[in-house]
């Protein structure tokens, strides 16, 4: 019973953290007069997937799933970029009931229009390689990274993430994606995990002549010890995988030798993904610091309260601990990075989801490693302009290009 209440507590905290990330302040930003930041972003309407219910593809509350599509033109008319939305996970019935009353569990509460910025921008000066592609944001409303297949009749909860993925892809194929010359599957956070889980499935949708690759932004969740010496995230992922019926949809290349919970962690999956994959991640991922490494449930003496919210308030021993986490992240991608088809951009920033924000994706002072920023690195990798994109930044505090997140 005690363990159950820990999961409930963690689930509700994660919902609050997701809300907090959406309202976080970003420091170290210098806006340039007349720059792309002063342009109004394109607003794109929500399309519900009609007929999805008959396919078992519904949100947590049983409502229709949806996406936002802006058509490509010119040289990008036959190219497609799919962005899978993130938003945490729900690991227990109480948390999922909470989620189904939000936009992360029901299309009833989704915004009818959302701004397309960063990798989804329609402006060449903000998104030089993908601005005129068909660009799609698939909304996240299943609570398990588009991978579940179960339900709870008593609570009227539908865990149908895998069905939502399939229905969305089928609908987009009918919208012209089947004729794609080039296609990129991307995602941020829980959507970044989903882009890894579904990468090879995405590849199979297209003929071999189509250039198909995948991008995971802030999706490299590590199976790491927290500050109390426990595995908070592993325990939560175990609950998610069990509740949502995820095991049947995990890659067999992993489940054939590891248990399903471990196969929900990207570090155990990435080396077996056959399709070219790019990992974009902050070495000090702020979500993982707050929810996995030093969550309140393990911070018994409240030593991490200030550090969790503001990296500048971390003590020397806390920074040392976070350097160990960075080392774990770099060790987890060693085998993955040996394959030249794959790409890496791991900067030593306190951030989360850098492809969806204009200031970090492509701007006059966006984060760089060496002389290349994030958008340029991803573009060079996707179009094979540079072979072997393996960009890893030096440890904190030497990177002066970061746009670090600070929480109220």
């Amino acid at each position: 019973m005690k363990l159950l209440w820990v999961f409930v507590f963690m689930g509700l905290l994660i919902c609050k953290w997701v809300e907090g990330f959406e309202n976080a302040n970003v420091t170290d930003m210098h806006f340039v007069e007349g720059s792309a930041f002063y342009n109004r972003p394109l607003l794109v309407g929500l399309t519900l997937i009609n007929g999805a219910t008959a396919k078992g593809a519904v949100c947590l509350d049983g409502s229709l799933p949806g996406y936002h599509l802006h058509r490509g033109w010119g040289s990008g008319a036959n190219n497609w970029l799919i962005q899978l939305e993130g938003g945490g996970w729900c690991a227990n019935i109480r948390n999922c009931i909470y989620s189904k009353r939000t936009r992360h569990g029901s299309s009833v509460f989704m915004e009818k229009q959302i701004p397309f910025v960063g990798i989804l921008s329609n402006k060449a000066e903000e998104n030089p390689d993908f601005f005129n592609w068909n660009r799609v944001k698939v909304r996240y409303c299943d609570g398990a990274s588009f991978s579940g297949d179960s339900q709870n009749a008593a609570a009227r909860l539908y865990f149908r993430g895998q069905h939502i993925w399939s229905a969305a892809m089928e609908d987009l194929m009918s919208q012209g994606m089947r004729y794609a010359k080039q296609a990129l599957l991307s995602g941020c956070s829980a959507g970044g995990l989903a882009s890894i889980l579904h990468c090879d499935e995405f590849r199979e949708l297209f003929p071999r002549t189509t250039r198909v690759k995948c991008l995971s932004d802030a999706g490299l969740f590590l199976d790491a010890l927290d500050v109390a010496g426990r595995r908070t995230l592993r325990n939560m992922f175990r609950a998610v995988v069990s509740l949502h019926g995820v095991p049947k949809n995990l890659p067999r290349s992993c489940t054939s030798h590891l248990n399903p919970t471990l196969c929900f962690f990207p570090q155990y999956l990435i080396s077996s993904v056959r399709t070219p994959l790019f990992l974009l991640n902050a070495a000090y991922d702020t979500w993982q610091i707050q929810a996995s490494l030093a969550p309140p449930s393990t911070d018994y003496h409240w030593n991490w309260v200030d550090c969790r919210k503001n990296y500048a308030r971390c003590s020397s021993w806390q920074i040392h601990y976070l350097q160990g986490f960075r080392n774990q992240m770099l060790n987890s991608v060693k085998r993955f990075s040996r394959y030249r088809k794959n790409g890496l951009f791991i900067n030593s920033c306190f951030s989360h989801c850098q492809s969806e924000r204009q200031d970090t994706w492509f701007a006059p002072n966006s984060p760089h490693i060496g002389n290349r920023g994030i958008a340029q690195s991803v573009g060079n990798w996707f179009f094979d302009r540079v072979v072997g994109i393996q960009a890893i930044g030096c440890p904190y505090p030497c990177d002066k290009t970061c746009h670090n997140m600070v929480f109220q």
Side-chain angles (χ1 to χ4, degrees), residues 18-19 22 59 85-87 98-111 114 139-142:
V18 168
E19 294 171 3
E22 291 158 356
C59 298
E85 185 181 29
Y98 173 89
S99 292
K100 80 173 186 176
R101 295 168 184 156
T102 74
R103 60 189 176 85
H104 290 306
S106 171
S107 58
V108 173
F109 300 103
M110 290 177 185
E111 306 91 331
I114 62 170
R139 300 306 296 268
Y140 180 49
C141 64
D142 68 278

Side-chain angles (χ1 to χ4, degrees), residues 215-369:
L215 164 66
S216 173
D217 176 11
L220 189 56
F221 299 99
L222 295 188
D223 182 22
L225 291 174
D226 57 41
V227 294
R230 300 176 179 176
R231 295 190 182 271
T232 294
L233 192 56
R234 183 189 289 190
N235 290 334
M236 196 205 30
F237 274 7
R238 181 182 294 115
V240 171
V241 167
S242 175
L243 178 65
H244 290 257
V246 171
K248 68 189 80 167
N249 297 317
L250 293 170
R252 292 185 179 179
S253 58
C254 182
T255 56
S256 62
H257 64 280
L258 291 176
N259 73 61
T261 297
L262 294 183
C263 292
F264 205 61
F265 280 97
Q267 69 195 79
Y268 304 118
L269 296 172
I270 52 178
S271 295
S272 62
V273 175
R274 301 183 302 276
T275 307
L277 174 63
F278 193 102
L279 299 178
L280 164 61
N281 233 90
Y284 314 103
D285 183 279
T286 46
W287 188 93
Q288 294 191 66
I289 292 172
Q290 293 195 23
S292 174
L293 297 181
S297 60
T298 63
D299 184 16
Y300 305 130
H301 302 290
W302 295 95
N303 294 322
W304 285 83
V305 174
D306 291 334
C307 181
R308 269 197 301 270
K309 296 179 180 179
N310 187 343
Y311 67 98
R313 296 176 181 171
C314 295
S315 66
S316 58
W317 69 266
Q318 289 170 326
I319 291 296
H320 180 74
Y321 179 87
L322 296 177
Q323 300 294 22
F325 176 74
R326 174 181 177 272
N327 291 336
Q328 282 183 263
M329 184 175 291
L330 299 185
N331 287 332
S332 75
V333 299
K334 279 185 176 179
R335 182 182 171 194
F336 167 86
S337 63
R338 293 174 190 159
Y339 301 102
R340 299 182 74 185
K341 66 182 174 66
N342 296 327
L344 280 176
F345 192 101
I346 299 181
N347 54 357
S348 294
C349 303
F350 290 81
S351 190
H352 187 71
C353 288
Q354 299 178 89
S355 66
E356 295 188 337
R357 285 168 36 196
Q358 195 59 56
D359 66 297
T360 49
W361 173 247
F362 191 78
N365 70 324
S366 58
H368 279 63
I369 295 178

Side-chain angles (χ1 to χ4, degrees), residues 60-112:
L60 285 170
D61 69 336
S63 60
L64 289 173
Y67 58 79
H68 303 255
L69 163 64
H70 188 250
R71 293 284 182 178
W73 70 94
S75 61
N78 290 320
N79 299 329
W80 288 74
L81 187 154
I82 310 300
Q83 176 84 348
L84 302 177
E85 185 181 29
W89 306 271
C90 65
N92 55 69
I93 296 299
R94 182 174 178 177
N95 181 219
C96 291
I97 289 175
Y98 173 89
S99 292
K100 80 173 186 176
R101 295 168 184 156
T102 74
R103 60 189 176 85
H104 290 306
S106 171
S107 58
V108 173
F109 300 103
M110 290 177 185
E111 306 91 331
K112 302 311 179 225

